[in-house]
Every structure is written in C-alpha cells, then in structure tokens.
Amino acid sequence: MAKTGTALGCEPVIGSLTPSKKREYRVTNRLQEGKRPLYAVAFNFIDDRYYSVFATVGGNRVTVYQCLEGGVIAILQSYVDEDKDESFYTLSWACNIDGMPFLVAGGINGIIRVIDTGSEKLHRSFVGHGDSINEVRTQTLKPSLVISASKDESVRLWNVRTGICILIFAGAGGHRNEVLSVDFHPSDIYRVASCGMDNTVKIWSMKEFWTYVEKSFTWTEDPSKFPTKYVQFPVFIASVHSNYVDCNRWLGDFILSKSVDNEIVLWEPKTKEQTPGEGAVDILQKYPVPECDIWFIKFSCDFHYNAAAIGNREGKIYVWELQSSPPVLMARLSHMQCRSPIRQTAMSFDGSTILGCCEDGTIWRWDANVAP
Amino acid sequence: MCRQDSRIQLSAEEAIAAEESLSIYCRPIELYNIIQRRAIRNPSFLKRCLTHKIQEKHNKRLLMTVSITGIMNDGVQMQNLLPLYLLLVSPVSDVVVAEHSAVYRINRGRILTTSSKFDGRDLTQANFELPEINKLSSDARAAKLALLLVSCGGTGSSVCGGGLDKDSLDKASFPSSFGGYCLWGKISLESLYMSLAKCGNLISTHSAEMLSSVAMHSCFLEPGCLEEGNSISFKIPHNSRAMDLLQKVQVNISVQEVGAAERSPYNSYKYNNIPALSLPHIMRLRAGNVIFNYRYYNNILRKTEVTEDFSCPFCLMKCASFKGLSCHLCSSHDLFNFEFWVTNDFQAVNVSVNTDIWRSEIVADGVDPRVQTFFFRSKPRKRRRLTNLGQNAKHVHPQGLNSDSTEVTKDGTCEGLIGKGACISSYPLPTTTSKVAEPSNQFSLKRSEKDALSNKEEKEMAHGAVFSEKNLRNENHKAESNATESLCATDSTERVASSPNVIGLSTATVQSSVGPECVQPISGSNHAPIAFAKTRKLSAERSDPKNRTLLQKRQFFHSHRAQPMALEQIYSDRDSEDEVDDDIADLEDRRMLDDFVDVTKDEKQIMHLWNSFVRKQRVLADGHIPWACEAFSRLHGQDLVQAPALLWCWSLFMIKLWNHNLLDGRTMNNCNLILERYKTEGSDPKQS
C-alpha cells in the first residue's frame, strides 16, 4: 500500500485562498426544483449538440434542463421513478449507438436506470448491485461503457447498449467499505480509479480483461449468460487520505481526490511495473476548500480539466485553476441566500457556466462575466 | 469335430506370427484377472446365482411318493373315494376355532385319480418334496406338518373336477373348489419320521417304503377365510361318531433321498438313441467337461482346452451348468466372441477375440488414450441393482453367434436371473434350442426378450451420449487417488470403462486443454462450461412440475454475478456456485507470485504451473501428491526437459515433497524416468 512520504523539497504546493479575479462569476438564475435535496448535477459532454443540456437528480426524480442565453434555464424533461422511496444519488450522460443521449442514474435502491432521452423511455435497468449506488461515470472514449460505484463495496462495469455487466471490481483486493467515487482514465481506456469509505484510492486495470469488454459489444445472447468476470486485485492502492475519500478524478495520469479535510489533493500514483499493488504516492498540490468537511461533496471540472468547481457546507463554490502551479483560486462564489451545502457542481464545456445543486433543492446558475 | 487336428504346416515366419497373434488373448485375460480380483469380496449377481445352484444341487432332500393301494372297507368302493386330494398342511394355531373343527394351512396339494377319470391323465401317485430328514426332525415347525387325505366322496368329481385344471394344484386355486361334505384322513409327518428313523433303511439304501392305513372321517369342509385363502377348515359333526372308522385307506408311502450324489445334467440325459458303443465316451464327458477351442491367427489355428465342472477357463469359476457357463462367458468376458456347441457327443465353446475395435475397451498399442472416445452408460431407470457382470451382460455383442446361440444367451440370462434354488426338477438340457422351457418360465422368457429389446434402445441412447473423456476424468481422478495398486501398476495405456460401477482406473493423463502458457485469461472457453467443472445433479427434483412452478414464482440471481437469471438457466442442471474461474485464478496466481522478490523467474514459473495444476486437478489431500507428481511430469515433461532451469526447480520441489514424506521414492523415481524418457526420445512416453 502506497503511503505519502514527504521528503525534503517534495512538500506539496498549497494554493492560496486569495481569489485571482481572473474570471468573475455572478448568479444568473436560481431554481427551486423541490424540497428534497439534489445530489447530482451534470452537463452532457458526450454530445456536442447538447453541451448546454444538463440534468439533476434528487429524490426519485431525474430532470433534464437546458441553459439558454441570459441565464435562462429551460426544463426539458422530467422522469420520476415509480418507487417513491428511491433517492437518486448520481447521474451520468451516456450515448446510444445512434447518438441519442442516455441518462444513467442510480441511487439508494441499487438499481441503475438507463433512460433514453431520445424516446423519453426507460431503456434498461441494471440489477446486480447489492446496495445503493454512489456514483456512475461514463467512459468518454466509448460512451456505451458505464461504471458504477456502490455501497456494496464493489465497482461494476456495464455496457448500456447490450445491458451486460462486464466486470466486477471487488474481492480479495477490493474496497473494504462503501465505494463513493469512481472515474475512467481520460486516455488509458483500461484504467479506472475508485475510492471510498475505506480511505483508499484504488487503481484498477482492465487490460487483461479487455477481451470481455469487447465481447460485450457483440453479445447477442441473454445478458445474464455473459461470463462476468471478477477483477479482484487493483494495480495500485493509495492511502492519501485519513478519512472517507468521496470524490476522485483523473487529471492526466495524476489523480485529484478529496476527503473531509477541506482540500482537494492532486497526487501522482507511482506504480512499479514489476510489483503491482505497490508503489509510492507523490502529493503534488493541494487546493484548499474551506468549510468542506462533510462527506459526499463532489467536485466537477470543465471539459478540458482546466478548472474544478466545488461547493462547501455553507453554500459557497470554490473554482480552482487546476493546471497551474501553485494552484490559483479563480473565483469564490457566494450568495446571501445560498447557505445550504452544495453536494455537487457542474461546469459547462468551457467553464463559463457553473451550476450548483444544494441540499435544500435549489439549483444555482453562475455565469462568467464576459471579458470586456 | 472339435478335436480334429487343425494344425497346418507353417513356415518358421508364420509360426512366429501365429505365436504373436495368440498373444492377443493376453491383454483381455490380464484385465479379467484384475476384475476378478476386485470382485472377490463382492461377487456379481450371476456368480451368486450359480454358486447357489451348485449348493442347492448338493443339498439332500427327501422325495416322498404317496400312492393308495386299497381301501379296507367293504361298503364303499374305491371309485367313490377318488379323486382323492393329498394335502400337505400345517395346523393354524393362532385361529380360535370351535371344538369340533380343525383349520389347516395348505402348503402343497396333489390330486390322485384313476386312469381315464381325470382329464385323461393317470395319476395314481403323488410326489412331495421334503427337506432332509435331520432337518425335519429337528425343526419344530416341520413336526407339525401333516398329510391330509380328502375325498369329496362320490360327488367329488362333479364338485371339484371342473375347478381343477392342473395335475398339481395351486395353493391359491385349490380351496376355492372345495366345499360340502367329505371324508378326510390324516397322517402326521412326525409319526412318519419316527417310523422312518426306526426302520433305518433310509440311511443305508437312501430309500424306504412303508405302508400305513388311514382312517377316513366324515366332515363338512368349508373353504378357509384366511387372507390368502389358502387355508382349509373342517367341521366335524357331533353325531358322526357312528359313521367314524367306516373307511380305512391303505396308503403306500415311499421316501427316497435325492441330491445326495452329484447330479450332472448328463446323469439325467436319456441315452435312448445312442449306440451303446459311444456310451463310455459320454461317460467321460459327464462330469461337466467342456471343450474350449481358442481361435487365433486369422481363425486358422486353434488351441484346445478342456475344463471340468462347467468351469470358466478364464476365471475358473464353476458355473453349475452349460447354460450357466454360457451366461457367464457372455456377460463376464465379452471381450471374446463365443460360439456354443452342444451335441450328443460333446459340449464345446469356440472362443475368438473380439476384434471390434470400435467399441474396444482396451486401447491398442500406439493409441493415445486421450484421443479415444469412451462411452458413458448411465442407468436410465431405477432397477434392482445388478452388479458389474449383470450389467455387462447387456453389452454382449453377439458377433460370431448365430441366431440360435443368441437364443441361448438370452435364455441363459433369464435363467440366471430367475434361478430359484427351489426347483429341484431336472435341469433343462443344454441344447442350442432350449425353447422347451417349462410353461411357468414362459412369461419371464418373454420378459427377458423384451428386456433385450429395451437394452438395444439403451445402447442407442448411449451412443447419443458420447461423453468425452474429460467428463469422466473427474471421477477417474478421484477413484485414482485411492485406486488399488494393481491397477496403478498397469500402465496408463490400459483403460477400461467396463461398467459404471467400476469407473475408477488409473490414468495418469491429465487435462491439457489450457496450455501451460495461458497468460491470456481468455482461452475462448469462457462461456463454454469448463469441462472439468463439477456439476451437481438436480435434474430429478427440477423436473418435478411442482418445483418448476415454484421456480417460476420469483426472480433468481446468479450466485457470482448477482445478475438475474433466465428461466432456462434456472432449469438447467448447471450449478456454478462452486466454480472456480480458472483463467482468472491463473492470472491472479501469477500476479501473486510476481510479488515475491526473493524468488527467481524459473521458480515462479514452476510455482505457477504447479498451482494451476493443483487447482485444476483438485489435488486436495496428501495422498494425491504421488499421482499429481507423475501426472505433472507427464503433462509438462516436454517443456521441462527443454528448460533445464525449470527441470531443476521441479526436481528440487519433488525433493522438498519427499522431505515432507508426501512423496515416496518410488514415485519420484517414476517421475524421473518419465522425464528421462522425454529427454532421450523426445517423444510421448505415455505410449511405452
């Protein structure tokens, strides 16, 4: 297990909390969707026709909106799960073979709903997880592949087109508590990082199992007959945090992850080729986020991972420039009436629009001021 | 004919070739010796039957012949008494009866008539079989036995004549035809024995004769009402004293001891039309001598052997009769073809080796047993457990037999199966057309024919169910680990799948479908069920419609993937719960081994090969280790000898096992010999 070591001269760079005022945002809209908390909001990055479309989940409802000019938010579609007690925690955009966007949502019931937004119908439901689903992510290189992190300590890889559960990342080397977050590597299609309540971040490789992934695309039989494989051993286990790790994202080959320590950490997993599972962690940078000490607060990035936006317990949003060193706080967004925890944010393709969904059921839209 | 000298003049080369061709008998006989040794503790059904027959034949019995010589009475004529029923009865003690009545259970019944009176058959004497005299006198139950003489008087013939259709009365049909007024007399068997024992004649001459007179009483006869209906009860009228002793019947009882001397079928053979000259010739044969002609060298040559007591030349089992012998041969030694001959002069069997390679159970030299197809025959329905030999009887392939001799086979089978020791009647003659079976046998004969038919169906079904060797391997392997030494000693080229009960045999062949270099987790075999996966049989319960509907009622999930299962998956017999995904396990094993830093690459490779082998072959116990080492040497020998470093690691590992007393020196030597052979020949040493 990789531990953080701080050698002399290798201390992580910590960003300053003084906003650079490079970019300024102002509230352009506030929407009260309902009384129930909203746990996720996400722009559609899969299809460039729909970059302005986003969706939120809260309770048993999935809602699709469009961001229009001048801060207008138009509601497009709304789906309600037949189970009143369903509470969706996460959503992700995926794509059908004909290019129609899919919405993949999961929550407390552990059933992943794949909604075909083209036909406005439920496309599939994935059963298999034994407990609630904490995050769903889409492989942008192959938008039919979706990965889910669950309270049942497993991560599953699905093919939304054929409805197959391809791989299960769990077992002897798997997580020892709820998996809270999972992310595909942006360029290495075999790599996946997951993190959870066992305070670890695990990096998995599907390289040896890739034939099964390919097989899932041509599978014509009953999905239940697919030889689902267990990936029991991750290639890398990192103990960067000492508490729940509730969000992780790849930034190139580095990993951004956060715990409940009021900061996002950027670190490099240094795997040794010969000895998988072992390796060192090099912490590169830290992005402080004050009052961000409760778990299940997730950050989001724009399409190019130039910036990350993260809400906090008090309803403020911090926008960090990710790829500069030392990190630069681009903006701190706060509003008098926005005081409840922001569970997740969404940055638009170019980062000009930031959405925050709050526990009180409101959606806040922030737009960057057009540079004069 | 069989002893005619068939030796042809052969050249030296031909003589050698002939000598070699005779050796084709060796392998089957070797195999039969093994089977025989195994079956010592648990003899087959057929063998038990035949042994019982031999024992019964030697048992002593008494044959009691009863005839009526006259009636000591002036008033009533003898004609009026006939037909007279002779009943062997035992008194029914547990039934409370009135004072003047007697209830008996009928054991056996015979009827006496005069000539032309009853169905045109002359029956002036009746035969009863009784156990040995010592047994009778010691057995309390036997002491109670009595012989009843019952006459229905003048009207008797009209009352019971129509109801009786056989000379020997069935227990069941007898009482129903009775009823009404009759005369009855009684001879207690006890007194009979007493007098027999007194006269002492029986011991010296094995036969005795005595006269006794029986008083006939008049009474009312009513059919019994016991559950079987085979009892008889008499009501004696109170005022019949005057009528008593009216009649006395003189009965001649002769008792003969039978079975004391050995009786071979030839003893009862009637030499009516045989010239007196050939009689001594037959006498030589009578002890149950059978001539065996072994054909070899393209059926040109033959060797002749004579066995006594109808014993089998291969396993020396005594078969009681020629029919029993033919039965035994066909069922137990079906690797040979048999032709059975019986003439007045001799009884002979022509033997040749069954060259039908197609279903040969012995793998010929130079044939890799792994590529052989084996047949798995399962018992299609539950039936009385026939042991190996009985089972084999089904597989008899009457190749060289003509239709007549097949008849014998079937017949023989049927006799072997029915074979009840109770019948002491003379054995059916060992003729080829033994259709002259007793009518009572007829039914079972038919049944056995039907059986033979269904066997044919089974055979065809078995054809459909050609299991690859792999499927049997699991069991093979299990049986192997504790297989008897004798089988282990024979080389792996010998493979027998003779019957489901004896699957266990030694083969050191191992599954090698996944090459040793399987780094890829996919070997194309992922959704094809893993061949050696164990499947539990649940079909019996699953086929039940009630269970089926229960299964339909709820959704089932796969035990590994937690994916909902389709109905057909639920109904299928496959239970994958215990399955190990070998590809993935191999992968993980490699990864685990990669973690070791103080182990060389070669050592890791050997570890990996061994781990993977042990997992796939389910080497679980210490006792499996010797087998595993040999099999491992065979499986990977080729690769090992090409990489000396690997070979070195393997040898070290074996030494380690030997250190821990898990491997004996002999097996280690065997392994090294196998590897040595790989090294020198570079060929497959399995064919040695």
Side-chain angles (χ1 to χ4, degrees):
Chain A
M1 192 173 282
K3 297 251 180 195
T4 56
T6 44
L8 192 69
C10 293
E11 292 90 1
V13 185
I14 300 169
S16 160
L17 276 170
T18 317
S20 69
K21 313 257 180 185
K22 248 186 189 175
R23 213 170 189 183
E24 288 194 352
Y25 291 87
R26 60 185 173 84
V27 176
T28 54
N29 205 340
R30 174 184 170 272
L31 206 92
Q32 180 82 38
E33 193 185 286
K35 286 274 178 272
R36 279 185 286 189
L38 297 175
Y39 282 112
V41 57
F43 275 102
N44 184 357
F45 286 169
I46 303 294
D47 194 329
D48 61 359
R49 293 173 293 173
Y50 305 115
Y51 279 163
S52 60
V53 173
F54 72 92
T56 60
V57 290
N60 61 342
R61 185 187 294 267
V62 180
T63 320
V64 184
Y65 302 91
Q66 188 166 19
C67 285
L68 299 174
E69 293 289 315
V72 179
I73 296 175
I75 183 161
L76 298 181
Q77 296 172 350
S78 186
Y79 302 91
V80 178
D81 196 281
E82 59 190 6
D83 182 4
K84 274 211 314 290
D85 298 327
E86 172 66 292
S87 175
F88 288 116
Y89 291 153
T90 178
L91 88 136
S92 182
W93 290 92
C95 175
N96 198 1
I97 191 163
D98 58 1
M100 280 321 273
F102 276 155
L103 254 178
V104 187
I108 198 166
N109 279 358
I111 300 167
I112 297 171
R113 304 288 191 186
V114 182
I115 298 157
D116 185 345
T117 54
S119 63
E120 302 186 344
K121 283 197 174 94
L122 182 70
H123 176 66
R124 275 178 199 283
S125 293
F126 293 148
V127 196
H129 274 303
D131 214 322
S132 48
I133 288 152
N134 290 319
E135 187 153 76
V136 175
R137 299 284 291 171
T138 307
Q139 168 63 273
T140 42
L141 302 171
K142 273 186 185 289
S144 293
L145 296 180
V146 154
I147 201 159
S148 57
S150 168
K151 191 178 176 178
D152 69 0
E153 305 180 6
S154 77
V155 171
R156 282 176 185 242
L157 179 71
W158 309 84
N159 188 325
V160 287
R161 223 170 73 201
T162 49
I164 285 167
C165 176
I166 309 163
L167 298 173
I168 302 168
F169 301 83
H175 281 288
R176 287 287 171 267
N177 207 331
E178 285 193 37
V179 190
L180 294 176
S181 180
V182 65
D183 194 37
F184 282 108
H185 192 283
S187 57
D188 184 352
I189 202 165
Y190 307 129
R191 295 232 147 183
V192 168
S194 64
C195 61
M197 286 193 184
D198 61 355
N199 305 353
T200 62
V201 178
K202 298 191 187 223
I203 300 173
W204 308 82
S205 172
M206 301 184 257
K207 197 169 182 180
E208 279 125 345
F209 299 85
W210 194 250
T211 35
Y212 295 101
V213 178
E214 282 170 349
K215 197 189 277 269
S216 77
F217 283 92
T218 52
W219 192 259
T220 49
E221 278 182 74
D222 197 326
S224 62
K225 288 183 189 157
F226 188 84
T228 304
K229 297 288 168 183
Y230 270 87
V231 183
Q232 294 206 50
F233 296 98
V235 289
F236 191 88
I237 302 170
S239 288
V240 179
H241 304 278
S242 54
N243 210 326
Y244 294 172
V245 189
D246 56 359
C247 190
N248 69 347
R249 296 286 182 266
W250 289 93
L251 180 64
D253 285 334
F254 303 154
I255 287 177
L256 285 164
S257 64
K258 74 161 280 283
S259 181
V260 291
D261 306 321
N262 302 323
E263 61 184 8
I264 300 169
V265 180
L266 177 71
W267 50 277
E268 181 189 8
K270 285 182 172 166
T271 50
K272 288 178 191 160
E273 269 316 305
Q274 297 305 315
T275 53
E278 284 183 25
V281 164
D282 190 4
I283 295 182
L284 305 169
Q285 306 201 106
K286 289 186 174 175
Y287 307 87
V289 185
E291 318 301 330
C292 186
D293 51 3
I294 56 168
W295 69 281
F296 214 92
I297 287 184
K298 299 193 174 185
F299 56 87
S300 66
C301 305
D302 63 329
F303 187 82
H304 299 289
Y305 278 74
N306 288 322
I310 182 165
N312 73 359
R313 182 161 46 81
E314 294 182 331
K316 294 189 176 64
I317 293 174
Y318 287 80
V319 186
W320 281 97
E321 192 176 332
L322 287 174
Q323 302 185 22
S324 63
S325 183
V328 177
L329 182 67
M330 287 168 74
R332 200 187 69 188
L333 318 180
S334 62
H335 192 272
M336 291 278 285
Q337 288 170 318
C338 183
R339 293 204 169 268
S340 72
I342 297 173
R343 290 294 178 180
Q344 190 163 28
T345 60
M347 285 190 96
S348 64
F349 183 82
D350 57 357
S352 60
T353 301
I354 292 171
L355 301 169
C357 59
C358 301
E359 211 168 64
D360 60 3
T362 53
I363 304 164
W364 292 78
R365 176 175 172 179
W366 300 75
D367 278 329
N369 292 333
V370 184
Chain B
M1 180 182 177
C2 58
R3 280 171 292 119
Q4 79 186 11
D5 199 356
S6 59
R7 265 167 223 282
I8 311 155
Q9 289 301 317
L10 296 175
S11 69
E13 280 172 28
E14 280 176 316
I16 292 167
E19 209 45 50
E20 269 175 16
S21 93
L22 183 63
S23 68
I24 56 171
Y25 280 89
C26 297
R27 231 175 239 287
I29 287 173
E30 207 176 307
L31 167 67
Y32 286 135
N33 284 342
I34 293 163
I35 293 174
Q36 192 200 351
R37 236 175 297 150
R38 284 187 164 194
I40 283 175
R41 290 246 173 111
N42 186 16
S44 70
F45 177 66
L46 183 65
K47 182 169 184 178
R48 281 181 283 136
C49 276
L50 293 174
T51 320
H52 179 68
K53 274 201 145 183
I54 293 171
Q55 279 173 355
E56 280 303 311
K57 201 158 60 174
H58 294 299
N59 266 0
K60 285 184 187 175
R61 275 157 202 275
L62 291 182
L63 184 68
M64 180 172 75
T65 310
V66 184
S67 61
I68 296 168
T69 47
I71 293 161
M72 296 162 71
N73 185 298
D74 343 285
V76 187
Q77 289 180 348
M78 188 180 169
Q79 286 292 331
N80 289 351
L81 268 179
L82 294 174
L84 186 70
Y85 297 94
L86 292 172
L87 307 174
L88 196 63
V89 295
S90 51
V92 177
S93 54
D94 53 343
V95 177
V96 183
V97 288
E99 201 183 337
H100 292 284
S101 71
V103 181
Y104 296 100
R105 186 188 297 275
I106 301 168
N107 288 353
R108 241 159 283 171
R110 300 280 187 274
I111 187 167
L112 287 186
T113 57
T114 46
S115 53
S116 77
K117 188 80 191 195
F118 190 81
D119 287 354
R121 252 178 279 188
D122 187 5
L123 290 164
T124 52
Q125 60 179 36
N127 290 339
F128 290 96
E129 279 161 31
L130 300 173
E132 202 195 351
I133 186 149
N134 291 334
K135 209 188 257 177
L136 273 179
S137 49
S138 62
D139 192 351
R141 247 181 336 145
K144 285 184 191 167
L145 282 175
L147 188 67
L148 287 191
L149 286 76
V150 180
S151 163
C152 296
T155 56
S157 57
S158 63
V159 170
C160 24
L164 297 168
D165 49 352
K166 291 223 172 83
D167 47 356
S168 65
L169 295 169
D170 278 352
K171 276 204 282 186
S173 70
F174 182 70
S176 61
S177 58
F178 270 103
Y181 172 77
C182 68
L183 290 171
W184 72 294
K186 176 179 165 187
I187 309 169
S188 146
L189 279 203
E190 201 175 3
S191 65
L192 192 70
Y193 291 137
M194 302 280 265
S195 48
L196 276 175
K198 252 182 241 165
C199 75
N201 237 359
L202 196 62
I203 296 126
S204 53
T205 62
H206 299 293
S207 69
E209 220 172 306
M210 55 182 286
L211 271 173
S212 76
S213 57
V214 182
M216 301 294 279
H217 309 267
S218 59
C219 65
F220 281 104
L221 178 70
E222 35 187 61
C225 49
L226 287 180
E227 55 271 49
E228 288 99 347
N230 57 356
S231 70
I232 184 168
S233 74
F234 300 96
K235 273 223 162 85
I236 303 149
H238 292 280
N239 55 352
S240 64
R241 288 282 161 198
M243 295 269 288
D244 263 6
L245 304 174
L246 266 183
Q247 291 171 332
K248 275 201 170 173
V249 181
Q250 188 109 48
V251 180
N252 186 8
I253 299 173
S254 78
V255 178
Q256 200 184 1
E257 203 165 74
V258 291
E262 191 180 320
R263 283 157 50 96
S264 95
Y266 268 67
N267 287 350
S268 60
Y269 200 93
K270 291 195 172 61
Y271 310 114
N272 290 338
N273 44 3
I274 297 173
L277 262 175
S278 66
L279 263 180
H281 177 181
I282 291 166
M283 297 302 279
R284 260 192 292 149
L285 285 169
R286 71 156 41 148
N289 293 2
V290 182
I291 300 161
F292 283 86
N293 296 316
Y294 303 100
R295 293 180 183 276
Y296 64 104
Y297 196 51
N298 298 331
N299 282 358
I300 299 170
L301 297 182
R302 61 164 74 112
K303 283 209 167 184
T304 303
E305 190 185 359
V306 178
T307 62
E308 288 185 347
D309 294 332
F310 299 104
S311 44
C312 166
F314 306 114
C315 58
L316 307 179
M317 187 184 128
K318 288 184 183 177
C319 297
S321 66
F322 192 70
K323 190 186 264 184
L325 178 67
S326 66
C327 243
H328 165 77
L329 288 175
C330 290
S331 63
S332 306
H333 304 294
D334 62 348
L335 290 176
F336 302 112
N337 284 328
F338 300 102
E339 293 170 57
F340 299 97
W341 293 66
V342 176
T343 66
N344 286 340
D345 285 351
F346 57 82
Q347 32 198 351
V349 183
N350 290 342
V351 188
S352 58
V353 176
N354 196 344
T355 49
D356 189 358
I357 302 253
W358 177 67
R359 54 174 295 281
S360 162
E361 278 146 352
I362 290 181
V363 179
D365 284 351
V367 176
D368 187 352
R370 282 179 298 180
V371 299
Q372 281 291 105
T373 307
F374 290 90
F375 293 96
F376 174 72
R377 288 171 207 274
S378 65
K379 282 185 200 165
R381 60 201 127 104
K382 222 167 184 178
R383 46 159 66 174
R384 209 155 44 101
R385 205 173 134 256
L386 300 177
T387 39
N388 321 349
L389 298 176
Q391 203 99 92
N392 269 358
K394 294 194 298 190
H395 308 162
V396 169
H397 216 58
Q399 275 252 319
L401 306 182
N402 55 12
S403 58
D404 272 357
S405 40
T406 26
E407 211 61 58
V408 169
T409 316
K410 279 177 198 166
D411 216 292
T413 316
C414 129
E415 196 205 28
L417 294 178
I418 295 161
K420 302 234 169 77
C423 62
I424 197 157
S425 61
S426 67
Y427 289 93
L429 296 176
T431 51
T432 36
T433 50
S434 59
K435 277 259 180 172
V436 279
E438 293 158 46
S440 61
N441 265 8
Q442 201 72 38
F443 166 66
S444 40
L445 198 92
K446 266 188 211 140
R447 202 183 50 189
S448 82
E449 260 164 359
K450 213 167 76 188
D451 230 39
L453 258 175
S454 63
N455 283 341
K456 203 175 279 173
E457 284 169 16
E458 280 170 30
K459 218 182 271 178
E460 263 149 29
M461 271 163 57
H463 284 215
V466 178
F467 278 60
S468 77
E469 182 198 12
K470 276 185 208 165
N471 294 26
L472 286 171
R473 175 166 304 109
N474 233 2
E475 284 179 67
N476 275 351
H477 170 60
K478 272 179 205 148
E480 229 156 47
S481 45
N482 42 14
T484 54
E485 270 203 303
S486 58
L487 260 183
C488 278
T490 65
D491 212 293
S492 60
T493 42
E494 281 197 21
R495 277 215 136 205
V496 195
S498 51
S499 84
N501 294 342
V502 269
I503 288 178
L505 19 111
S506 125
T507 42
T509 54
V510 270
Q511 203 259 342
S512 58
S513 70
V514 182
E517 293 299 321
C518 58
V519 196
Q520 273 285 94
I522 287 194
S523 53
S525 69
N526 27 46
H527 72 101
I530 301 159
F532 42 85
K534 41 270 142 209
T535 47
R536 264 182 240 157
K537 278 278 154 264
L538 289 166
S539 53
E541 30 186 294
R542 294 243 156 121
S543 55
D544 184 10
K546 201 172 156 195
N547 286 334
R548 269 180 165 259
T549 47
L550 272 177
L551 288 175
Q552 278 168 353
K553 271 187 183 160
R554 55 157 292 185
Q555 176 72 57
F556 284 86
F557 295 91
H558 193 276
S559 54
H560 287 181
R561 318 168 193 151
Q563 289 294 288
M565 285 167 78
L567 263 187
E568 53 176 311
Q569 278 175 295
I570 295 167
Y571 290 150
S572 77
D573 268 351
R574 244 171 94 68
D575 181 356
S576 53
E577 187 163 3
D578 299 337
E579 252 171 43
V580 179
D581 193 329
D582 275 300
D583 297 333
I584 304 300
D586 269 0
L587 190 95
E588 276 159 8
D589 181 56
R590 267 175 190 281
R591 189 173 285 171
M592 183 199 77
L593 290 173
D594 279 345
D595 288 351
F596 294 130
V597 279
D598 53 346
V599 181
T600 67
K601 207 168 139 265
D602 298 313
E603 284 167 338
K604 280 182 188 172
Q605 174 69 6
I606 282 290
M607 285 180 188
H608 173 69
L609 289 178
W610 178 256
N611 286 350
S612 148
F613 178 86
V614 160
R615 178 172 6 89
K616 280 179 193 158
Q617 305 299 328
R618 313 201 118 231
V619 178
L620 302 173
D622 288 357
H624 297 170
I625 295 288
W627 173 86
C629 283
E630 275 192 53
F632 186 86
S633 303
R634 281 207 172 83
L635 180 65
H636 296 296
Q638 199 75 57
D639 306 322
L640 290 178
V641 295
Q642 277 162 12
L646 285 185
L647 188 61
W648 177 241
C649 293
W650 170 236
S651 303
L652 276 180
F653 179 60
M654 281 202 287
I655 290 167
K656 198 84 197 156
L657 289 173
W658 178 79
N659 267 342
H660 288 288
N661 288 327
L662 291 167
L663 187 64
D664 55 316
R666 197 173 64 90
T667 317
M668 201 153 107
N669 184 48
N670 286 346
C671 294
N672 285 328
L673 286 177
I674 291 162
L675 295 168
E676 196 68 30
R677 242 174 285 158
Y678 271 116
K679 218 181 265 177
T680 51
E681 295 165 23
S683 68
D684 199 350
K686 263 163 257 172
Q687 318 200 342
S688 62

